[in-house]
Amino acid sequence: MTDRVSEAVGPGYRVERVDGSDGVAALRFAGELRFRQCFQSWKGVRELTQPAASRMRLDLSRVDHLDGAATALLLELKNELASAGAQTDIVGADGPVRAMLELYGAHAKRPSQKPPPVKIGILDQIGRETLELVRESNALDFVGDVAVAGVRALRRPSLVNWADIPRLMERAGADGVPIVLMIGFLVGLVTAFQAAIQLQQFGASIFVADLVGLSMTRELGPLMTAIIVAGRSGAAFSAELGTMRVSEEIDALRTLGLDPYHFLVFPRVIALALVLPLLTVFADVVGIAGGLLVATVKLDLTYNAYLAQTQQAVNLWDVFSGVAKTAVFAVNIALIACQRGLATRGGAEGVGRATTSAVVTSLFAIVLVDAIFTVLFNAFGR
Amino acid sequence: MPSGAEAAAVLPPIIAADELAIGYGETVILERLSFTVPHGEVFAILGGSGSGKSTLLRNLIGLDPPLGGRLEVDGAPPRQSDGPPRFGVLFQSGALFGSMTLAQNVALPLRKWTGLDADAIDVVVRSKLRLVGLEGFENHLPSEISGGMKKRAGIARALALDPPLLFLDEPSAGLDPVSSVELDELISTLSRSLGMTTVIVTHELASIFAIAQSCIMVDRGARGIIARGAPGALRDGSDDPRVRAFFNRKSV
């Protein structure tokens, strides 16, 4: 007997290696090969394959059961040995064991069609996202399409789907009133509170009215309202149009001879441009009311004194400039949201991406436009 | 009303493609496509999944521009201009507008393109829905009806303006065998009695034999048309292994 025998044992199965005098090394498997059991102990089986013989034989004649993943392990072992230069055969399998091997071995080994995605570091990721933001923001195609459609709509206003506007105004405007009121009130209250602590030290409590009145009407009212509307309606518009895009409804519109710009985009732009200034007026009023609450409760100012001071400090231009710029915010929010929605690719994930991108880009545009307005108003001395 | 064959003898083909190349961006999927569809025929575009048949349909209905060659649908390039649509399209999922009832969906093209008043539109809408067997479902939303009914409603909307040509994108996809047969019968009846040309993109063998008079088969590997003719003749007489495999349900 020149045969050399060594063995590995795992739960439910055992493998012995028999090195024959003919130079063939046989691994004889016995028992039940189940992935859960043999995965842990598979290392022992792999060690059995060393030292490699020029011919290897995997003998399964005494295997009673072979499950799917264990088959994969076995075939992987065979491939490994073969690529290391050993001629390897699986022998002795019959019945269900053989069927399993045929099932898993049926498809020829092919290289992956697409290389696995490269791992991206966190800094790299941030850089990519930033570039993406810049690249997406310059959606010139859309600007061109909107301009062309806009000129046609000006020539023939009947092209625009006016009938949808009241419904959209209700959803973007009326339904948004509670949240705008609450946030406006709280922002006025917080501003007054912060200011009160400082102003009290100088005995200048009455100027809380100036501070709250001016900051609400000129900046905080418009900005907070626009941010709320971008989060509510901007997200809604892009999700709605994105879903329509994905479910072929935009294509269907085109084939019915209806232009998506006239039918979907312009009504949304107009509706938002009408409701955002109105919501801003609400935010201004409740913001001043929030300041009033702090002034009367914490600073012992009278109701009349506060209102009189506000009236004196805030003039019509302050209110008007704040409200007017929100119309520009509204156009930005609606156009960005619709562009992202119409440009949606892929399925549910695409809609999610479009919505995220719509809100992020809208917020960026709002702040940018606001900065431009501030500089312009400043230059004209207002 | 002339039958399909007579009309075909008199009129030029309703669809004429000459050396057409299609794809997206820079990628050409199919090229050198030349075929014609005569008036009044039920014409099928066949091909396996990913063969480019849906892209060809998008070109035929003017949603994507051809990358090359010439394509005329009803005497003009298919790209939608300002005028009313010259053909109806049923999309794979029906593509009904989710916020509108079935009646409003069907009424949409009528409101846009006809001067009819609300009452007249209502009459037309009811008749179209009755035509596809959806009478009584006027006020249902698309989310409240089954997949087969959505496709019927989609056909009603596509037929709203009585187009001479109807495109259907995989009408039987996702339907049970009975609904699928019923839909085939509906398509067959409609095209026969309305004298309408019907172009169907499909890979459903039963539908093809039941309703198509002629077909072309496209293949992405061959980048073009690999067979044309009557479905029965292709099944029995084609030498091409890909065509035989398709018609005999075998893997290549």
Side-chain angles (χ1 to χ4, degrees):
Chain A
M1 282 294 278
T2 51
D3 290 3
R4 195 167 61 81
V5 180
S6 55
E7 66 173 19
V9 181
Y13 75 97
R14 53 186 293 138
V15 186
E16 56 180 25
R17 171 172 169 151
V18 180
D19 279 283
S21 47
D22 50 358
V24 180
L27 293 185
R28 292 186 183 149
F29 291 75
E32 303 196 332
L33 287 176
R34 293 182 196 275
F35 181 69
R36 280 170 188 281
Q37 274 89 46
C38 60
F39 185 66
Q40 299 293 335
S41 51
W42 198 250
K43 212 174 143 214
V45 178
R46 292 178 52 151
E47 277 164 6
L48 268 193
T49 63
Q50 300 303 328
S54 62
R55 288 190 65 188
M56 305 284 286
R57 190 177 293 147
L58 305 178
D59 185 349
L60 304 185
S61 51
R62 285 188 290 153
V63 173
D64 304 322
H65 181 87
L66 185 63
D67 76 3
T71 312
L73 279 180
L74 210 55
L75 290 171
E76 189 61 36
L77 184 69
K78 182 189 166 197
N79 282 335
E80 219 172 88
L81 290 170
S83 56
Q87 191 195 337
T88 311
D89 303 301
I90 296 180
V91 296
D94 54 19
V97 173
R98 186 191 180 91
M100 201 56 127
L101 283 170
E102 277 169 3
L103 179 67
Y104 276 79
H107 298 281
K109 202 175 163 70
R110 269 192 292 188
S112 180
Q113 298 281 317
K114 202 178 168 185
V118 185
K119 281 227 167 77
I120 298 170
I122 186 157
L123 281 178
D124 204 2
Q125 179 73 20
I126 293 171
R128 277 163 198 256
E129 290 293 323
T130 314
L131 283 177
E132 188 78 353
L133 194 71
V134 173
R135 198 177 55 80
E136 275 185 6
S137 319
N138 97 63
L140 282 176
D141 283 3
F142 181 77
V143 174
D145 288 347
V146 164
V148 170
V151 168
R152 283 186 27 222
L154 282 179
R155 282 210 204 121
R156 277 180 56 198
S158 65
L159 286 172
V160 177
N161 177 22
W162 300 100
D164 238 10
I165 292 180
R167 184 180 65 89
L168 290 164
M169 284 177 70
E170 187 189 327
R171 277 208 326 227
D175 296 354
V177 167
I179 182 79
V180 166
L181 290 185
M182 201 167 78
I183 294 200
F185 183 77
L186 288 176
V187 167
L189 189 128
V190 169
T191 312
F193 222 91
Q194 298 282 11
I197 300 163
Q198 307 300 324
L199 291 174
Q200 233 173 354
Q201 295 173 6
F202 308 107
S205 306
I206 187 67
F207 290 109
V208 166
D210 298 52
L211 197 130
V212 171
L214 286 174
S215 54
M216 275 316 288
T217 52
R218 292 189 75 120
E219 210 52 68
L220 290 176
L223 210 54
M224 294 310 292
T225 314
I227 289 171
I228 295 166
V229 168
R232 281 187 84 251
S233 308
F237 291 172
S238 67
E240 191 179 359
L241 268 59
T243 309
M244 289 181 77
R245 161 103 240 173
V246 170
S247 61
E248 300 182 307
E249 286 173 48
I250 305 282
D251 291 341
L253 264 188
R254 290 216 171 92
T255 61
L256 293 173
L258 294 155
D259 183 326
Y261 293 100
H262 297 148
F263 194 78
L264 297 171
V265 178
F266 291 160
R268 281 165 175 74
V269 172
I270 294 166
L272 222 53
L274 290 175
V275 297
L276 185 48
L278 280 175
L279 288 174
T280 305
V281 173
F282 287 156
D284 288 354
V285 172
V286 293
I288 290 170
L292 176 64
L293 185 72
V294 174
T296 49
V297 172
K298 189 166 187 306
L299 297 176
D300 296 328
L301 292 173
T302 66
Y303 175 85
N304 284 329
Y306 184 89
L307 284 190
Q309 184 70 19
T310 302
Q311 215 165 18
Q312 202 194 355
V314 180
N315 62 35
L316 202 57
W317 170 253
D318 295 320
V319 179
F320 175 76
S321 67
V323 169
K325 68 184 173 188
T326 61
V328 182
F329 294 165
V331 172
N332 271 290
I333 296 168
L335 283 180
I336 289 168
C338 290
Q339 189 268 330
R340 291 297 189 270
L342 290 177
T344 301
R345 299 248 170 280
E349 197 218 342
V351 176
R353 241 182 299 129
T355 309
T356 310
S357 163
V359 174
V360 171
T361 317
S362 296
L363 293 181
F364 176 70
I366 289 167
V367 175
L368 188 71
V369 170
D370 192 43
I372 293 170
F373 268 111
T374 307
V375 171
L376 280 182
F377 287 156
N378 198 283
F380 290 111
R382 306 303 291 260
Chain B
M1 173 154 293
S3 77
E6 285 171 44
V10 185
L11 298 166
I14 192 159
I15 297 176
D18 187 26
E19 294 286 304
L20 188 67
I22 61 166
Y24 41 82
E26 302 283 290
T27 320
V28 177
I29 297 177
L30 301 171
E31 58 190 353
R32 307 179 68 84
L33 303 174
S34 297
F35 61 93
T36 56
V37 179
H39 277 266
E41 203 173 83
V42 178
F43 183 85
I45 298 171
L46 314 178
S49 304
S51 60
K53 60 187 190 301
S54 292
T55 311
L56 176 55
L57 179 74
R58 287 185 65 83
N59 276 264
L60 288 174
I61 61 180
L63 289 176
D64 286 344
L67 298 182
R70 205 177 53 87
L71 175 62
E72 278 192 0
V73 173
D74 203 10
R79 191 117 214 187
Q80 293 287 344
S81 53
D82 280 351
R86 292 170 291 131
F87 43 77
V89 183
L90 170 67
F91 287 88
Q92 205 175 76
S93 59
L96 300 170
F97 303 116
S99 58
M100 301 181 193
T101 64
L102 298 195
Q104 286 167 338
N105 263 285
V106 180
L108 192 63
L110 293 165
R111 285 213 321 260
K112 172 76 184 181
W113 294 115
T114 64
L116 298 174
D117 60 37
D119 289 340
I121 286 181
D122 200 44
V123 171
V124 178
V125 167
R126 276 168 197 286
S127 73
K128 296 292 173 189
L129 283 172
R130 195 182 315 126
L131 196 64
V132 298
L134 284 176
E135 198 173 18
F137 288 92
E138 288 82 4
N139 297 320
H140 280 62
L141 287 172
S143 56
E144 296 166 343
I145 59 173
S146 73
M149 289 158 93
K150 277 182 201 163
K151 300 210 178 185
R152 287 164 176 272
I155 292 179
R157 188 178 66 186
L159 295 180
L161 296 170
D162 295 314
L165 175 61
L166 177 65
F167 291 95
L168 305 137
D169 187 10
E170 307 204 9
S172 45
L175 295 187
D176 65 79
V178 177
S179 309
S180 173
V181 168
E182 284 171 0
L183 196 67
D184 283 349
E185 281 166 4
L186 177 68
I187 294 165
S188 204
T189 313
L190 287 176
S191 60
R192 207 166 342 109
S193 39
L194 300 176
M196 187 173 59
T197 315
T198 309
V199 176
I200 302 186
V201 170
T202 187
H203 51 228
E204 201 71 34
L205 287 173
S207 296
I208 298 163
F209 292 122
I211 57 182
Q213 282 135 31
S214 63
C215 63
I216 56 172
M217 185 167 170
V218 293
D219 185 84
R220 189 161 187 177
R223 290 160 71 93
I225 298 173
I226 55 171
R228 61 181 84 218
L234 287 186
R235 177 190 51 193
D236 302 330
S238 177
D239 299 328
D240 191 311
R242 292 163 299 193
V243 179
R244 294 185 70 86
F246 184 87
F247 279 101
N248 296 308
R249 298 183 61 129
K250 284 195 190 121
S251 67
V252 184

